[in-house]
Amino acid sequence: MGQGAGGGPQPRGGATLAQVAARVGVSLNTVSRAIRAPHTLRPELLGRIAAALDELNYVPNRIAGSLAGTRSALVGVVVSSLFHSEFAAVVEALQTGLLARDFQVMLGHSHYDPAREAGAVRALLGWRPAAMALVGIDHHRDVSRMLGEAGIPVVQMWDVGGEAIDSAVGMDHVAIGRAQAEHLLARGYRHVAVVGSLRPHDARAHKRCRGVAQALAAAGLGEPALATSAEPGDPDLGGRLVAELLARHPEVDGIACNSDAVAYGVLRALRARGRRVPDDVGVVGFGDAEASACLVPALTSVRPPRAAIGRLTAEIILARLEGAGPRQLEVAWDILVRDSTARGSTVSAPI
Amino acid sequence: MGQGAGGGPQPRGGATLAQVAARVGVSLNTVSRAIRAPHTLRPELLGRIAAALDELNYVPNRIAGSLAGTRSALVGVVVSSLFHSEFAAVVEALQTGLLARDFQVMLGHSHYDPAREAGAVRALLGWRPAAMALVGIDHHRDVSRMLGEAGIPVVQMWDVGGEAIDSAVGMDHVAIGRAQAEHLLARGYRHVAVVGSLRPHDARAHKRCRGVAQALAAAGLGEPALATSAEPGDPDLGGRLVAELLARHPEVDGIACNSDAVAYGVLRALRARGRRVPDDVGVVGFGDAEASACLVPALTSVRPPRAAIGRLTAEIILARLEGAGPRQLEVAWDILVRDSTARGSTVSAPI
DNA sequence: GGACGTTGCGTTAGCGCTCACTCTGTGCGA
DNA sequence: TCGCACAGAGTGAGCGCTAACGCAACGTCC
């Protein structure tokens, strides 16, 4: 790497404030001010400093800045799993909201495992974030304790049915499950089952499942048939579970799926078995994934306001950082009714 | 926040090494050693320090560690767009490989825009990462310059047809485009078109497009019909583009799509127009998305080895950090042949 | 014309940690 | 008896920056 052109040994990454200062002939702090509070300098000096900054390709060292400064420029975000999954759009909206204020997002993953979630939270806290956001509201005590003791704003996303550590923005998943079942019942399906991935610690999925049971009970029907698994929810899982379900409960004519990916496999398996959707069986998904409107039949699904949740989370974090109090809010969702529950008629025509 | 129980004012986030040291009655450095090099301490002392560490819930401050230490624990990753998109699995595999060595991944997004990519790279370099990984191999000069001057390992992912800054691991996208077209031609489709999102700076998409043209030329056929747009590639775009395409070129009987999401919309629009797939028109996608095997007809698609690319990127980064030289490697991909190009017969039976 | 802001910059003291070095005591061979 | 290697712990400097304060030189106003 060699030596810098004019001023001391070359630091590990790029120029330092001290080098810029030496080049211009001012103190280090003056250069810092030129960046952070330009209006406190004479325009002429400011120009010279700006030129030197540019010549040396100065990139502020945010590590040093965070250590010295009052507040960090990082926000930690923990999701169950960004990948093959439903939280990407939430994180994108969150990130967009925070980037505008120059906050960096640092991502961690729980993989639906409380121990790994605690590990991810601990790892992120090591970077001393200004705030944290995480998916879910029912957490392991270690997680709640660490987050509570951190003394920073914490926003729990996606779910609202629980006790928030600080702030929360999400949906009522029991109500979603109820709505899935009620929709099927309203369309004349009587034997409703729940199919999908049901990991031990995916509290949201359990709540939706409970909601289905509630709706059936309210309609004077029995418990829903269950075909669930702790494996990740993908089409193949849906196919296997529905095969197993129909072997045990051939009378099932309505299926509430825990995710759209599972529903894709359910539709395929039903087709392979000669069960017509929606005439023989109605299927409703959760998540409104990209392909759902393109399937045959198009999949009826619950659409969560992902972008809104991410945007609101960013807003709450920024407000909390400026002294506002904690907030807890529930966001609205809707059911996109498509052909997979349109018994006897076509609800949405293909393009 | 108040004062700490035993030793100095409460710092901004959690206990410090100095507090732990004061509690045990040793020097700060000894506690640091207990964490970084436990074998250099007496077991008895180590036990007492471990107890104090635990009691105070000490979480190492990685900001301070990075500033003081020789090397950073961060790796910067820039993708076009993680969301609605194809890079999630790559990043997941990359992250898994790096997390094992205690590296944190920091994500940035280019949104297929060179200026935003430069901004993302600059922002990430501000955190003084130990290495960088980014999607694509054809970058704006500013990006190449910044990365070259940073003096850290740089791995360019996903594409290989260009000059690497340091290391690269990806696919030959021209060859992919050729394979898409050759597959269609081999199935008897003669009038091949390209449909999909073709952003000005998405070099990979342009290369695949060029590959299609090459294959047609080699077969003595003319230029492919094009129906492209700078909008993001989703099913609706596919539907609109194919409508426009068929209006201009009703003879088209083979469609190579730039992404599976676009292909979904293409299939839906063809169905709505009464064009039978695969009998009248063959459709091949790119990306092998989750739903592709569940569509009717199931979509033939190019499957990129996402996990392998991510894993190899992690391996190269770790090796480079330990002194190994730069590497450039091309990974293999394949075409999953399904019903959408199975003219006259069913290739893959539904489950 | 002396007390009092104001503007514009320099000085200084850390943030919490790592790393190179120094120091102390112990064991052991010559 | 002395020297000397070595394990085990302490000391001090400094990473690059921010923030609080210091301090000239220049108005401003009674």
Side-chain angles (χ1 to χ4, degrees):
Chain A
M1 310 261 157
Q3 296 293 107
Q10 187 74 9
R12 283 173 292 210
T16 67
L17 279 187
Q19 289 176 354
V20 179
R23 190 183 191 99
V24 181
V26 294
S27 87
L28 179 161
N29 191 4
T30 303
V31 182
S32 173
R33 253 191 293 253
I35 296 169
R36 298 188 345 266
H39 58 277
T40 64
L41 298 190
R42 302 194 320 270
E44 181 268 340
L45 222 200
L46 201 57
R48 281 165 51 213
I49 293 178
L53 249 18
D54 199 63
E55 271 176 68
L56 292 177
N57 275 310
Y58 176 76
V59 178
N61 184 331
R62 311 208 50 158
I63 296 280
S66 307
L67 184 59
T70 320
R71 57 191 249 182
S72 132
L74 280 175
V75 172
V77 178
V78 181
V79 296
S80 311
S81 159
L82 190 54
F83 309 118
H84 331 108
S85 137
E86 45 196 5
F87 303 115
V90 176
V91 175
E92 177 168 46
L94 172 55
Q95 185 150 352
T96 301
L98 292 176
L99 231 53
R101 301 284 195 91
D102 219 28
F103 279 100
Q104 252 291 337
V105 164
M106 219 178 213
L107 228 48
H109 304 267
S110 72
H111 298 271
Y112 296 98
D113 173 353
R116 293 180 76 169
E117 179 170 62
V121 167
R122 168 174 285 263
L124 289 178
L125 286 177
W127 294 95
R128 299 299 188 268
M132 291 274 287
L134 50 171
V135 163
I137 197 154
D138 309 289
H139 296 284
H140 192 277
R141 344 181 18 229
D142 284 354
V143 171
S144 304
R145 184 184 48 70
M146 281 192 285
L147 255 16
E149 287 175 359
I152 55 175
V154 174
V155 182
Q156 290 164 285
M157 307 182 289
W158 202 248
D159 194 1
V160 291
E163 195 165 335
I165 298 171
D166 179 90
S167 298
V169 41
M171 304 169 290
D172 179 343
H173 287 260
V174 177
I176 289 175
R178 265 200 313 264
Q180 286 181 308
E182 283 163 4
H183 174 69
L184 288 169
L185 295 176
R187 295 291 167 135
Y189 304 104
R190 310 309 290 174
H191 302 282
V192 174
V194 173
V195 171
S197 172
L198 198 67
R199 282 169 268 233
H201 298 280
D202 184 350
R204 282 87 60 201
H206 280 93
K207 287 175 186 173
R208 292 195 296 272
C209 200
R210 205 156 67 232
V212 171
Q214 280 182 11
L216 295 193
L221 301 167
E223 287 283 310
L226 291 179
T228 63
S229 156
E231 295 165 60
D234 59 26
D236 288 341
L237 178 70
R240 276 180 283 139
L241 291 177
V242 84
E244 179 203 308
L245 175 73
L246 291 180
R248 286 189 289 118
H249 298 281
E251 76 282 6
V252 162
D253 66 351
I255 298 179
C257 295
N258 242 332
S259 75
D260 275 17
V262 163
Y264 298 164
V266 167
L267 290 178
R268 183 174 53 180
L270 289 172
R271 191 165 57 239
R273 286 181 154 56
R275 301 278 199 129
R276 292 168 307 162
V277 177
D279 294 338
D280 301 336
V281 184
V283 178
V284 54
F286 171 75
D288 188 38
E290 196 166 39
S292 299
C294 297
L295 290 184
V296 183
L299 180 66
T300 293
S301 190
V302 173
R303 174 172 55 183
R306 299 181 214 273
I309 291 177
R311 190 171 38 73
L312 288 169
T313 300
E315 280 175 20
I316 293 176
I317 287 176
L318 294 173
R320 293 280 289 124
L321 251 20
E322 285 173 1
R327 290 180 63 190
Q328 286 166 42
L329 32 103
E330 191 176 331
V331 294
W333 42 269
D334 58 352
I335 294 193
L336 281 173
V337 181
R338 300 200 184 94
D339 293 336
S340 71
T341 53
R343 197 173 228 172
S345 73
T346 294
V347 169
S348 67
I351 292 178
Chain B
M1 308 264 161
Q3 296 293 106
Q10 186 74 10
R12 284 172 293 208
T16 68
L17 278 187
Q19 290 176 353
V20 178
R23 189 181 190 102
V24 182
V26 295
S27 85
L28 180 161
N29 188 7
T30 303
V31 182
S32 173
R33 252 192 293 254
I35 296 168
R36 296 186 347 264
H39 58 278
T40 63
L41 298 191
R42 301 194 321 271
E44 180 269 341
L45 221 201
L46 201 57
R48 280 166 52 212
I49 293 179
L53 247 19
D54 198 63
E55 271 176 68
L56 292 178
N57 275 311
Y58 177 75
V59 178
N61 185 331
R62 311 210 45 160
I63 296 280
S66 308
L67 184 59
T70 318
R71 57 193 250 176
S72 133
L74 279 175
V75 171
V77 178
V78 181
V79 296
S80 310
S81 158
L82 189 54
F83 308 118
H84 332 109
S85 139
E86 45 194 7
F87 304 115
V90 176
V91 175
E92 177 168 46
L94 172 55
Q95 185 150 355
T96 300
L98 293 176
L99 231 52
R101 300 284 195 91
D102 219 29
F103 280 100
Q104 252 292 337
V105 164
M106 218 177 215
L107 228 48
H109 304 268
S110 71
H111 298 272
Y112 296 98
D113 173 353
R116 293 181 76 171
E117 178 170 63
V121 167
R122 170 175 283 264
L124 289 178
L125 286 177
W127 294 95
R128 300 298 187 269
M132 290 274 287
L134 52 171
V135 163
I137 198 154
D138 309 289
H139 296 284
H140 192 277
R141 357 186 1 238
D142 284 354
V143 171
S144 304
R145 185 186 46 72
M146 281 192 284
L147 255 15
E149 287 174 1
I152 55 175
V154 175
V155 182
Q156 289 163 286
M157 305 182 290
W158 202 248
D159 194 0
V160 291
E163 196 166 333
I165 298 171
D166 179 270
S167 297
V169 40
M171 302 170 290
D172 180 342
H173 287 260
V174 177
I176 289 175
R178 263 198 316 263
Q180 286 181 309
E182 283 164 3
H183 173 70
L184 288 169
L185 295 175
R187 296 291 166 135
Y189 304 103
R190 309 308 289 173
H191 303 282
V192 173
V194 174
V195 171
S197 173
L198 199 66
R199 282 169 267 232
H201 298 281
D202 184 351
R204 281 87 59 202
H206 280 94
K207 287 176 186 172
R208 293 194 296 272
C209 200
R210 204 156 66 233
V212 170
Q214 281 183 10
L216 295 193
L221 302 168
E223 288 283 310
L226 291 180
T228 62
S229 156
E231 297 164 59
D234 59 26
D236 287 342
L237 179 70
R240 274 179 285 139
L241 291 177
V242 85
E244 179 204 308
L245 175 72
L246 291 180
R248 286 190 289 117
H249 299 280
E251 77 282 8
V252 162
D253 65 353
I255 299 179
C257 296
N258 242 331
S259 74
D260 276 18
V262 163
Y264 298 164
V266 167
L267 290 178
R268 183 174 54 180
L270 289 173
R271 191 164 55 240
R273 286 181 154 56
R275 301 279 199 127
R276 291 169 308 161
V277 177
D279 293 338
D280 300 336
V281 184
V283 178
V284 53
F286 171 76
D288 188 37
E290 196 168 38
S292 299
C294 296
L295 290 185
V296 183
L299 180 66
T300 293
S301 190
V302 173
R303 172 172 58 183
R306 301 182 211 272
I309 292 177
R311 190 171 39 72
L312 288 169
T313 301
E315 279 174 21
I316 293 176
I317 287 176
L318 293 172
R320 292 280 290 125
L321 252 19
E322 286 174 0
R327 290 181 63 191
Q328 286 166 41
L329 31 105
E330 191 176 331
V331 294
W333 42 269
D334 58 352
I335 295 193
L336 282 173
V337 180
R338 299 200 184 94
D339 293 336
S340 70
T341 54
R343 198 173 228 172
S345 71
T346 294
V347 169
S348 66
I351 291 179

